């Protein structure tokens, strides 16, 4: 019988150069597997706790305590146990921590181990991770949301909305969808350059110059889509992540880029105008995490027109999602493993969402690594959508390149693009 023989963690660097946890699991059959935990910048208040040392190393961001928790408490608990029951492993981790939000061990410690166990189990069984987690039903290649203009907390410009993304919906396979997206990205770079805009990259690989207002980035993207030879809407649609918790102050939404301070109703109107004018299919965090009333107004008004994704508001938490379902908030949920803490809890949230006709978008964080776990995870859970940054920067392309491998390996993978938004 194969069992967990050793578990340890190292402090490594993420894509912003900040320390993060890499957990490694060794099995009795000599299988060795690691996983690296990502880290957000525009984090939701109710996310599971990311344990940081808060001392003088790395400006307080060190994760040695989290690593120590892996090396001692978690290793003690899991060594000797079978790696093939993910639910059991994750329940043991939850019990060992004993808090609601992993504030004792740190969600970074726990998630690293949870992902590494899944990967080790798959390796040991000689099946790819997506197949280990999803079986023969893991067949849908996710349609990507590629963040090609960065604003908000991810850039030093004056754009309030955090992410302007393209979604290649009108293609037959992932490979062609990715090619088109990359061509649009490079055409956009040319257009920005021609107009004298700097094309330095934001945290997720998108361009991050200053714009006249929050609408201008959309105009640029549409131009880039057309100039690259594609049809906006039919082939390439637009998705936004407003990350509006970041510009919600004293019950109002402050759009500095538009010189406007808006009420929830007015912000809904602002979005409605954009949606009527542009081929936008998805809007994430249109309202702030604390503004559930605003969320209800937004949902009532726009739920039949577009996908309304809850990120900060749900933080991948099944209890909060259930509250949202009951109160008519959003019709889709962003899925980030480190918001909730383990692989099994994340899968539980996805099952709940699907039972209630909420779509799921598996997502990276702005602080990422070469670990492409979420690519396999999105295929395994048949979410049909993934958000993992621009088609540039190694930590983003790691996920896209992994999806290319999965598509080749599957041979009969499905790319459902347009079907996603038949509402
Ligand atoms: P974060 O941003 O990883 O910085 O939290 C991503 C998002 O808001 O979707
Ligand atoms: Zn978001």
């Amino acid at each position: 019988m194969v069992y967990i023989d050793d578990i340890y963690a190292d402090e490594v660097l993420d894509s912003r150069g900040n320390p993060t946890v890499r957990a490694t699991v060794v099995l009795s059959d000599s299988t060795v597997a690691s996983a690296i935990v990502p880290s957000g910048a525009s984090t939701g208040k109710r996310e599971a706790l990311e344990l940081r040392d808060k001392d003088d190393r790395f400006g307080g961001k060190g994760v040695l305590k989290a690593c120590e928790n892996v090396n001692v408490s978690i290793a003690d608990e899991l060594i000797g146990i079978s790696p093939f029951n993910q639910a059991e492993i994750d329940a043991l981790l939850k019990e060992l921590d004993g808090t609601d939000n992993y504030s004792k061990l740190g969600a970074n410690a726990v998630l690293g181990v949870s992902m590494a166990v899944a990967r080790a189990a798959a390796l040991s069984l000689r099946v790819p991770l997506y197949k280990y987690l999803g079986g023969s039903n893991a067949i849908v290649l996710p349609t990507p949301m590629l963040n090609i203009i960065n604003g908000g907390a991810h850039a030093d410009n004056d754009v309030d909305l955090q992410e302007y993304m393209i979604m290649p919906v009108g293609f037959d396979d992932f490979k062609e969808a990715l090619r088109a997206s990359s061509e649009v990205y490079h055409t956009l770079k040319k257009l920005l350059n021609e107009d004298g805009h700097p094309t330095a990259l934001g945290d997720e690989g998108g361009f991050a110059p200053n714009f006249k207002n929050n609408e201008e980035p959309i105009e640029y993207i549409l131009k880039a889509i057309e100039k690259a030879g594609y049809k906006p809407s039919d082939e390439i649609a637009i998705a936004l992540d407003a990350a509006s918790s970041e510009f919600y102050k004293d019950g109002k939404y402050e759009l500095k880029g538009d010189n406007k301070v808006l009420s929830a109703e007015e912000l809904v109107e602002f979005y409605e105008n954009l949606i009527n004018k542009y081929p936008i299919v998805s809007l994430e965090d249109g309202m702030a995490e604390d503004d559930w009333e605003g969320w209800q107004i937004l949902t009532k008004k726009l739920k039949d027109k577009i996908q309304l994704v809850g990120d900060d508001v749900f933080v991948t938490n099944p209890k909060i999602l259930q509250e949202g379902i009951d109160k008519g908030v959003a019709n889709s949920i962003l899925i980030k493993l480190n918001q909730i803490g383990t692989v099994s809890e994340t899968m539980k949230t996805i099952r709940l969402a699907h039972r209630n006709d909420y779509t799921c978008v598996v997502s990276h964080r702005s602080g990422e690594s070469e670990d492409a776990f979420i690519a396999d995870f999105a295929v395994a859970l048949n979410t049909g959508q993934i958000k993992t940054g621009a088609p540039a920067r190694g930590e983003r392309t790691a996920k896209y390149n992994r999806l290319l491998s999965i598509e080749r390996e599957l041979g009969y993978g499905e790319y459902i693009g347009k079907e996603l938004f038949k509402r």
Side-chain angles (χ1 to χ4, degrees), residues 69-83:
N69 290 342
V70 173
N71 295 338
V72 181
S73 332
I74 295 179
D76 272 2
E77 181 78 13
L78 298 186
I79 285 175
I81 287 180
S82 162

Side-chain angles (χ1 to χ4, degrees), residues 41-43 147 149-155 159-164 204 214 240-244 246-247 284-285 311-312 336 366 387:
S42 63
T43 47
N147 183 6
I149 292 182
N150 297 183
H154 294 166
V159 178
D160 299 290
L161 308 193
Q162 182 177 277
E163 302 172 19
Y164 294 80
E204 297 188 348
N214 287 298
L240 301 172
D241 179 4
S244 68
E246 299 288 319
F247 55 85
E284 182 181 330
D285 279 356
D311 172 13
D312 290 355
K336 291 166 166 168
S366 49
K387 167 174 121 153

Side-chain angles (χ1 to χ4, degrees), residues 23-39:
T24 302
V25 169
V26 183
L27 303 183
S28 56
D29 63 0
S30 301
T31 302
V32 182
S34 299
I36 303 179
V37 178
S39 174

Side-chain angles (χ1 to χ4, degrees), residues 39-206:
S39 174
S42 63
T43 47
K45 281 190 205 154
R46 298 209 266 177
E47 290 194 16
L49 181 103
E50 184 181 69
L51 190 62
R52 298 277 181 192
D53 296 336
K54 298 192 174 135
D55 56 16
D56 46 11
R57 300 172 66 255
F58 289 110
K61 291 192 165 157
V63 292
L64 291 182
K65 276 185 211 150
C67 289
E68 178 77 3
N69 290 342
V70 173
N71 295 338
V72 181
S73 332
I74 295 179
D76 272 2
E77 181 78 13
L78 298 186
I79 285 175
I81 287 180
S82 162
F84 301 121
N85 190 342
Q86 189 70 34
E88 181 190 21
I89 300 264
D90 290 340
L92 285 171
L93 287 167
K94 181 125 196 117
E95 209 175 293
L96 179 67
D97 179 87
T99 69
D100 267 358
N101 64 343
Y102 293 105
S103 51
K104 188 170 157 214
L105 297 171
N108 39 355
V110 170
L111 179 64
V113 172
S114 181
M115 292 194 299
V117 167
R119 190 170 267 149
L123 259 176
S124 171
L125 294 171
R126 295 169 190 274
V127 289
L129 181 58
Y130 65 89
K131 218 159 245 186
Y132 173 67
L133 294 173
S136 299
N137 194 39
I139 202 98
V140 176
L141 271 302
T143 300
M145 289 180 179
L146 301 105
N147 183 6
I148 59 174
I149 292 182
N150 297 183
H154 294 166
D156 298 323
N157 55 16
D158 51 12
V159 178
D160 299 290
L161 308 193
Q162 182 177 277
E163 302 172 19
Y164 294 80
M165 299 173 281
I166 49 173
M167 273 195 99
V169 290
F171 297 85
D172 293 332
D173 57 32
F174 179 80
K175 194 171 156 195
E176 284 307 298
L178 188 63
R179 174 174 73 93
S181 305
S182 162
E183 289 171 8
V184 171
Y185 178 75
H186 287 283
T187 309
L188 175 63
K189 181 173 183 173
K190 236 186 254 158
L191 288 176
L192 290 169
N193 270 331
E194 279 167 15
D195 290 349
H197 288 300
T199 46
L201 303 184
D203 286 354
E204 297 188 348

